[in-house]
C-alpha cells in the first residue's frame, strides 16, 4: 500500500515542453497523418473540408496532482482529503506487433495536453509477445522517455495474453508449442480453442522450449526490470500484472469472436486435456471419481441465458447440487491458484523496488441479479446469492500486497457488484484502483458516475485510470467533458476561464510560459 508524502517542491508541476505552434489534429485511428501542420491517429481527411472544432489549451496554472513518495502502508493510512490520482491509458497498440511505435507524434502531443490539464500519468500496455519476439525494448523505452519528458508518471501493464483487435501476438515459442499441441490452450465444450492465453493447467509443464510458462513469465518480468531500471521508482510508479484473458483474473469465458456484445452466460473453459486431467485427479481425491469425467453437461452456450439447460436455473439448478458445488470449487480454485502463483512471482521480481503492484478483476455484472450469477461462475468466480466469491479473491490480493483494479466504474448497472468487491477489499486491507469500461460520449452522466464511485471510496481508492487515448478521446464531443472531470476532481469549483465556451473551446492559461495560446485541434 502507499503513503503519500508531499512537499512544496514535490507538489510543483514540472514545466512541460512547449507546444509546437500549430494545430494538433487527432483523426480516426491508426496511422500518423502526413501533413506537416497536423498530427493525427489516422489518415489525412479526403474530399470535402471537414468542420474544425478547436479545444484551446491556454497557458496558466495547470491543475496537477502532487508527486508522491510511495511506501507500503495500509488503506486506512490514506488521507481522505488527498485527491485520487488520475491516469489515462495509452492505445493498446502504442507499440505494434512489429515493435514499432504507432502514431508517435500524436501521442507526444497528447501527453503534453494531459500534462497541461493536470493528469498525474499514463498507463502503458506492454505485450509479452511483442517484447519477447523482438528481444528489443527500445520502442517501449521511447514511450517511457516521452512520458518523463512531459512530466507524467507511468503505470505499466504487463500483458501476458494476445489481442485480436488490435493484433498483438503471444511469443513465438508459445505459438510453436501450441501448433504442436493445441491442448495447451483453453478449450470449451465444443472443442473450440481460445488462442489468447495458455491454459492454467500447463503452467508447470516444460512446454516452451524446455521452460514452464511460469518460468517464462518470470524471465519476462526480469527482462523488463533490467531494461527499465532508470525509470522504476521515479517515472514508473506502478506495475500491473496481467492474470488472464484481456489482462484480467478470469478464464476466457466470453464468446471467442468478440464481434457481438456479450449478453449471455459464457462457457466453462475446462476441456483441454490438461484441465480435464486435473479435474479427474481432484475428483478422485474427493472420493467421487465419476464427477471428474467432464465438465457440466447441462450448461448453456456462450450467448444463451441461464434458462437454457439446467445448470444455472435459479431454482433446482445443478449449481446447487453436491456435484455443482464440487465442480465450481475446483474451477474457481484453479483460477485463484494461478493468480496467487503469478503474483508471487511478480512480488519476487519487483517486491524490493519502490513501485506498487496491481492486477485487474473483471466486472461481470451480466445476470448478477440471478441467484446463480452465471457469467461470474463461468469466468471463475464462485459468487452466488448465498456465497461471497470475492472474499477469497481479496484474501489472495492481500497476501501478495497487490492493489486490485476494478473496471466498469462508469456503469450504473454494475453498482451492486462494484460495492460487493470493494467491501471485500476493505475487509482484507486491499488498496483499490478504478477504471472505466470504455469511452462513451453521452453527456456528463458517465463522468458523474465515475466521480460518485471515487468520492464514495476515496479512503481506499489509490488511483483511477481512464481508458483510453485515441481519436474519440480528443474529439470535441469528449475532450471538454474529460477536462471538466479532471479539474473537478482537483478542486471544488472551476474558474470561469476553465469552463468550456459555447463554441467548444476550453482555455487553460499558464502564466509561466510566454507567448500566444496554442490549440489542440480535434478534427
Amino acid at each position: 500500500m502507499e503513503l503519500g508524502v508531499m512537499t512544496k517542491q514535490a507538489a510543483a508541476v514540472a514545466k512541460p515542453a512547449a507546444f509546437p505552434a500549430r494545430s494538433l489534429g487527432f483523426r480516426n485511428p491508426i496511422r500518423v497523418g502526413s501533413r506537416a501542420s497536423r498530427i493525427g491517429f489516422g489518415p489525412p481527411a479526403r474530399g470535402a473540408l471537414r468542420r474544425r472544432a478547436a479545444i484551446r489549451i491556454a497557458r496558466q496554472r495547470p491543475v496537477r496532482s502532487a508527486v508522491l513518495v510511495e511506501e507500503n502502508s495500509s488503506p486506512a493510512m490514506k488521507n481522505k482529503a488527498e485527491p485520487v490520482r488520475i491516469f489515462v491509458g495509452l492505445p493498446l497498440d502504442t507499440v505494434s506487433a512489429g515493435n514499432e511505435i504507432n502514431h508517435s507524434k500524436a501521442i507526444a502531443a497528447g501527453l503534453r495536453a494531459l500534462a497541461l490539464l493536470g493528469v498525474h500519468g499514463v498507463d502503458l500496455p506492454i505485450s509479452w509477445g511483442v517484447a519477447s519476439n523482438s528481444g528489443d525494448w527500445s520502442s517501449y523505452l521511447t514511450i517511457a522517455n516521452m512520458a518523463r519528458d512531459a512530466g507524467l508518471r507511468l503505470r505499466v501493464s504487463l500483458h501476458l495474453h494476445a489481442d485480436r483487435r488490435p493484433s498483438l501476438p503471444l511469443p513465438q515459442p508459445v505459438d510453436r508449442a501450441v501448433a504442436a499441441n493445441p491442448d495447451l490452450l483453453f478449450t470449451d465444450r465444443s472443442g473450440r480453442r481460445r488462442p489468447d492465453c495458455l491454459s492454467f493447467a500447463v503452467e508447470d509443464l516444460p512446454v516452451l522450449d524446455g521452460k514452464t510458462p511460469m518460468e517464462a513469465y518470470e524471465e519476462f518480468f526480469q527482462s523488463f526490470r533490467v531494461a527499465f531500471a532508470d525509470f522504476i521508482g521515479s517515472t514508473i510508479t506502478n506495475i500491473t500484472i496481467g492474470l488472464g484473458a484481456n489482462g484480467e483474473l478470469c478464464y476466457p469465458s466470453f464468446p471467442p469472436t468478440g464481434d457481438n456484445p456479450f449478453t449471455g452466460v459464457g462457457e466453462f473453459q475446462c476441456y483441454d486435456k490438461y484441465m480435464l486431467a486435473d479435474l479427474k485427479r481432484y475428483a478422485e481425491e474427493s472420493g467421487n471419481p465419476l464427477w471428474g469425467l467432464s465438465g457440466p453437461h447441462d450448461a448453456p452456450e456462450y450467448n444463451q441465458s441461464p434458462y437454457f439447460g439446467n445448470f444455472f436455473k435459479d431454482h433446482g439448478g445443478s449449481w446447487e447440487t453436491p456435484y455443482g458445488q464440487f465442480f465450481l470449487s475446483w474451477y474457481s480454485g484453479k483460477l485463484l491458484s494461478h493468480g496467487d502463483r503469478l503474483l508471487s512471482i511478480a512480488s519476487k521480481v519487483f517486491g524490493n523496488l519502490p513501485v506498487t503492484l496491481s492486477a485487474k478483476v473483471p466486472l461481470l455484472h451480466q445476470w448478477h441479479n440471478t441467484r446463480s450469477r452465471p457469467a461470474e461462475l463461468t469466468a471463475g468466480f464462485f459468487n452466488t446469492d448465498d456465497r461471497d466469491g470475492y472474499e477469497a479473491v481479496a484474501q489472495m490480493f492481500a497476501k501478495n500486497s497487490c492493489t486490485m483494479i476494478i473496471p466498469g466504474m462508469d456503469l450504473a448497472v454494475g453498482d451492486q457488484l462494484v460495492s460487493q468487491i470493494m467491501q471485500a477489499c476493505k475487509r482484507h486491507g486491499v488498496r483499490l484502483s478504478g477504471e472505466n469500461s470504455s469511452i462513451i460520449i453521452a453527456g456528463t452522466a458517465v463522468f458523474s458516475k465515475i466521480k460518485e464511485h471515487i468520492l464514495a471510496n476515496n479512503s481506499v481508492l489509490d488511483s483511477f485510470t481512464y481508458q483510453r487515448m485515441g481519436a474519440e478521446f480528443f474529439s470535441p464531443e469528449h475532450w471538454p467533458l474529460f477536462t471538466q472531470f479532471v479539474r473537478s476532481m482537483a478542486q471544488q469549483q472551476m474558474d470561469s476561464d476553465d469552463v468550456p465556451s459555447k463554441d467548444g473551446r476550453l482555455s487553460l492559461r499558464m502564466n509561466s510560459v510566454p507567448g500566444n495560446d496554442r490549440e489542440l485541434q480535434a478534427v
Side-chain angles (χ1 to χ4, degrees), residues 148-427:
R148 179 165 61 185
D149 290 346
L152 295 169
R153 294 296 182 264
L154 196 63
R155 299 173 64 103
V156 173
S157 295
L158 300 179
H159 289 180
L160 303 178
H161 64 281
D163 282 293
R164 194 170 68 95
R165 294 179 180 174
S167 179
L168 296 172
L170 287 170
Q172 292 170 357
V174 176
D175 287 340
R176 290 194 297 269
V178 166
N181 184 4
D183 272 292
L184 299 177
L185 299 174
F186 284 113
T187 307
D188 63 24
R189 189 173 57 190
S190 300
R192 288 169 290 197
R193 311 288 186 181
R194 299 304 303 272
D196 28 3
C197 56
L198 291 169
S199 170
F200 300 153
V202 304
E203 292 178 336
D204 291 324
L205 302 179
V207 295
L208 305 179
D209 294 341
K211 299 176 185 174
T212 69
M214 282 295 176
E215 289 171 342
Y217 299 149
E218 182 173 357
E219 184 178 82
F220 175 54
F221 295 163
Q222 291 283 8
S223 178
F224 167 81
R225 172 176 172 153
V226 171
F228 287 82
D230 290 342
F231 295 91
I232 292 174
S234 53
T235 301
I236 296 175
T237 57
N238 175 275
I239 299 173
T240 300
I241 307 301
L243 296 181
N246 199 36
E248 299 172 330
L249 177 68
C250 65
Y251 291 97
S253 57
F254 42 82
T257 61
D259 293 328
N260 299 309
F262 174 38
T263 59
V265 301
E267 288 196 27
F268 293 114
Q269 304 295 311
C270 61
Y271 293 91
D272 64 82
K273 69 180 183 181
Y274 300 102
M275 287 288 282
L276 288 175
D278 194 83
L279 175 61
K280 182 175 182 294
R281 176 195 56 77
Y282 186 78
E284 291 171 351
E285 291 176 355
S286 302
N288 295 286
L290 295 179
W291 287 355
L293 300 180
S294 184
H297 68 280
D298 55 351
E301 296 182 0
Y302 287 109
N303 264 317
Q304 292 179 336
S305 80
Y307 310 109
F308 283 81
N310 191 62
F311 193 84
F312 295 119
K313 285 184 177 179
D314 267 356
H315 301 285
S318 300
W319 65 276
E320 288 191 285
T321 65
Y323 164 75
Q325 298 290 298
F326 154 84
F327 175 80
L328 294 172
S329 295
W330 167 77
Y331 190 68
S332 62
K334 198 72 179 171
L335 176 68
L336 286 172
S337 176
H338 160 78
D340 183 38
R341 296 183 62 207
L342 195 46
L343 288 181
S344 295
I345 289 175
S347 296
K348 173 185 172 183
V349 176
F350 304 118
N352 63 340
L353 298 177
V355 294
T356 57
L357 292 181
S358 61
K360 188 187 301 186
V361 298
L363 190 71
L364 298 161
H365 57 83
Q366 301 93 337
W367 306 106
H368 186 72
N369 60 343
T370 64
R371 292 189 61 237
S372 63
R373 301 175 183 174
E376 295 166 73
L377 296 183
T378 58
F381 295 88
F382 194 176
N383 188 58
T384 62
D385 72 334
D386 59 355
R387 187 181 191 278
D388 190 340
Y390 295 98
E391 282 289 315
V393 178
Q395 288 175 353
M396 186 266 288
F397 273 72
K399 173 186 173 184
N400 292 285
S401 301
C402 185
T403 297
M404 183 184 293
I405 302 173
I406 304 176
M409 292 183 68
D410 54 326
L411 303 175
V413 292
D415 278 358
Q416 185 180 5
L417 183 52
V418 168
S419 178
Q420 180 185 354
I421 298 172
M422 285 186 169
Q423 290 303 315
C425 288
K426 289 177 183 178
R427 286 191 291 272

Side-chain angles (χ1 to χ4, degrees), residues 27 34-35 61 64 76 128 131 133 167 182 218 241 272 297 318 320 331 359 363 412 424 440 449 457 460 462 477 489:
R27 291 179 288 275
S34 60
R35 293 177 59 181
R61 209 175 57 254
R64 180 73 170 164
W128 178 32
N133 289 343
S167 179
E218 182 173 357
I241 307 301
D272 64 82
H297 68 280
S318 300
E320 288 191 285
Y331 190 68
L363 190 71
I440 303 174
K449 174 56 65 177
N457 298 279
V460 293
D462 174 70
E477 294 80 16
M489 294 306 301

Side-chain angles (χ1 to χ4, degrees), residues 13-29:
V13 181
K15 186 181 296 184
F19 269 123
R22 60 187 178 188
S23 294
L24 304 178
F26 291 85
R27 291 179 288 275
N28 293 330

